[in-house]
Amino acid sequence: MTTEYGRYAEHYGPAREPADQRGRERGHLLPAGLRAPFEGRSWREFAYVLTSLPISVVLFTYAVTMVALGAGLLVTFLGVPVLAAALAGCRGFGTLERARARGLLRMEVSEPEPLRPRGRWMFAWMGAVLKSGTSWRHLLYAVLQLPWSTFSFVVAVNFWVYGWALLTYPLWFWVFPMYGGQGGLQLYGDAQHSVYLDNPFEIAVTAAVGLLFTLATPWIVRALTTVDRLMVHGLLGPSKLASRVVELESDRGVVVDTAAADLRRIERDLHDGAQARLVNLAMDLGLAKEKLREDPQEAARMVDEAHGEVKTALQELRDLARGIHPAVLTDRGLDAALSSVASRCTVPVRVEVDLAERPAPAIEGIAYFTVSELLQNVSKHSGARGASVEVWRAGDRLMVQVVDDGAGGADAAKGSGLAGLAGRLDAVDGILVVDSPAGGPTRVTAELPWRGTVG
């Protein structure tokens, strides 16, 4: 989750620039402004603008013609299938546009939600097409793309052509007077007189203006394609509602898997720990009962051992109950519960909880177990001499931050326990941010949605 770090840099310092990116920036001899006209990205974006106009003409013509025909035929039964065919065709063009955006703009757009007809008949398919918001957004894209692509085509082509023409004017200026009988580049002319750019100073100024146009054109085209990116993403991609549904389905799966894993862990701990001790205790007490009359001293020794086993079993049950939900968290809140966790850490831990009120029990429990797991990592892997835990509220978010002065190098992307912790937080719309450069320190910040207690 280190890619999320920049969003919250104001809370815990600036983000570190990736080493490979710093290396790429140092590898260029020219600044970005000078090399932009020669970069592949600029030419791909220009090609996108050039191809947008003919494609938008075809798409606009198809959409308007089919929709107008379908609307005119609505008085008959034929209007409905014509409208459905119009929307289906727009969805097909949308597939082409997403592929073009991926190829030329290097833009990844997820496929929109598919049609889900409630039946196998043609009427079910037509109903699904007409009811789909995605279909109507594709139609809107078909209508809006033509005026925008016309504008961007005119602007991009004029800037590109005039920029390179003016920049290269000194190269071809001498050709026209020699072979065309012209006195240079004509700015104005009528029956009485004419104005030409034909002296060295004017030629130099013309080339300088062309250089400015040439350097500015890639950035102008990039600004134009930014609008195209927004249109493709907003109208041809999945809707926010559909994306949210997919995200919630994924989060639900994470929650179910996590709950199942916790149940298996509790079952394993009970079976291998307390249950086994209680079975042994019952056997020892049975043997002590048999020896009570024959050898009272041996029976007393066995009862004493059984008493020790009872204490051990009770301690294991307390630890297991604390792992499910500690009583101190329910009774006294995060401050006391986190102080209890910190006291069991192998390094000194400073705990600071700044909350005017308690969050909802579910959020409180997640925050507790997040700190508990992070402090376990500090004890086992960090080699730190000290750590700190801070909890505070920032608007509608609960912030939890654990910092240690260990060796660093922690990375949630490597599939460690941090990755599982990040998945649990993501299931409740939380975020885990890890800043752990080699050599330390390590700063892990968890952000949870704030939900206050009810009643």
Side-chain angles (χ1 to χ4, degrees), residues 270-288 302-303 305-310 312-313 316:
L270 283 174
H271 182 271
D272 298 340
Q275 180 180 344
R277 290 190 179 277
L278 291 176
V279 170
N280 292 332
L281 175 62
M283 295 176 62
D284 290 343
L285 289 177
L287 292 175
M302 297 177 67
V303 169
E305 291 179 354
H307 183 257
E309 288 290 324
V310 169
T312 303
E316 290 182 354

Side-chain angles (χ1 to χ4, degrees), residues 53-355:
L53 182 58
I55 291 176
S56 65
V57 170
V58 176
L59 181 55
F60 181 88
T61 303
Y62 170 83
V64 172
T65 302
M66 292 293 291
V67 170
L69 179 61
L73 292 176
L74 280 179
V75 295
T76 67
F77 173 75
L78 295 177
V80 175
V82 171
L83 278 178
L87 295 177
C90 290
R91 291 177 70 108
F93 276 107
T95 303
L96 171 64
E97 288 296 275
R98 287 190 295 273
R100 194 164 64 96
R102 283 192 290 267
L104 296 178
L105 299 183
R106 298 295 191 262
M107 176 184 176
E108 289 299 328
V109 184
S110 301
E111 296 293 325
E113 57 272 21
L115 294 175
R116 294 185 174 89
R118 298 180 179 179
R120 298 183 178 180
W121 297 95
M122 182 62 67
F123 296 105
W125 176 84
M126 289 189 296
V129 172
L130 294 173
K131 292 179 182 178
S132 172
T134 301
S135 303
W136 294 99
R137 285 190 285 111
H138 279 65
L139 175 62
L140 180 60
Y141 177 86
V143 175
L144 296 179
Q145 177 68 2
L146 178 61
W148 172 250
S149 63
T150 303
F151 172 79
S152 58
F153 180 90
V154 172
V155 172
V157 169
N158 277 279
F159 269 90
W160 203 280
V161 171
Y162 278 103
W164 283 102
L166 294 175
L167 177 61
T168 58
Y169 181 60
L171 301 178
W172 54 265
F173 161 74
W174 308 105
V175 176
F176 284 91
M178 182 178 299
Y179 295 100
Q182 301 294 326
L185 182 65
Q186 185 179 20
L187 294 182
Y188 174 78
D190 56 23
Q192 286 76 27
H193 64 281
S194 58
V195 178
Y196 290 90
L197 298 176
D198 54 4
N199 63 67
F201 174 75
E202 292 173 344
I203 294 174
V205 171
T206 301
V209 173
L211 177 62
L212 294 178
F213 271 58
T214 302
L215 295 178
T217 298
W219 305 102
I220 295 174
V221 174
R222 192 159 300 173
L224 295 173
T225 55
T226 299
V227 178
D228 288 289
R229 292 172 184 271
L230 294 176
M231 292 177 60
V232 171
H233 185 272
L235 297 178
L236 302 184
S239 63
K240 292 183 178 179
L241 178 60
S243 300
R244 183 59 176 165
V245 169
V246 173
E247 181 181 354
L248 290 177
E249 289 177 349
S250 175
D251 292 345
R252 181 182 62 183
V254 172
V255 171
V256 171
D257 293 341
T258 301
D262 289 340
L263 288 176
R264 289 193 298 268
R265 177 182 58 81
I266 293 171
E267 180 183 7
R268 183 179 63 252
D269 292 343
L270 283 174
H271 182 271
D272 298 340
Q275 180 180 344
R277 290 190 179 277
L278 291 176
V279 170
N280 292 332
L281 175 62
M283 295 176 62
D284 290 343
L285 289 177
L287 292 175
K289 181 179 179 182
E290 293 178 358
K291 288 185 173 293
L292 184 60
R293 294 182 179 179
E294 299 176 1
D295 191 351
Q297 293 183 351
E298 179 66 17
R301 184 188 63 79
M302 297 177 67
V303 169
D304 185 63
E305 291 179 354
H307 183 257
E309 288 290 324
V310 169
K311 290 183 178 180
T312 303
L314 287 175
Q315 182 61 41
E316 290 182 354
L317 289 174
R318 290 194 193 98
D319 294 339
L320 183 61
R322 186 183 296 113
I324 299 173
H325 194 84
V328 65
L329 179 62
T330 303
D331 298 337
R332 301 173 57 187
L334 273 175
D335 196 354
L338 296 183
S339 298
S340 176
V341 172
S343 65
R344 298 194 296 271
C345 188
T346 58
V347 301
V349 180
R350 177 180 61 86
V351 178
E352 182 178 348
V353 179
D354 183 15
L355 296 176

Side-chain angles (χ1 to χ4, degrees), residues 341 345-347 369-384 387 402 404 406-408 410-412 416-422 432 434 442 444:
V341 172
C345 188
T346 58
V347 301
F369 288 110
T370 298
V371 174
S372 178
E373 186 164 343
L374 291 176
L375 289 183
Q376 287 183 16
N377 290 341
V378 172
S379 299
K380 296 178 181 179
H381 309 297
S382 70
V402 177
D404 68 77
D411 188 0
S416 60
L418 290 174
L421 189 58
L432 185 73
V434 180
T442 296
V444 181

Side-chain angles (χ1 to χ4, degrees), residues 5-17 433-435 437 443:
Y5 184 75
R7 294 175 53 192
Y8 307 98
E10 67 271 14
H11 291 297
Y12 34 82
R16 293 173 59 87
E17 187 182 24
V433 182
V434 180
D435 178 31
R443 178 182 286 106

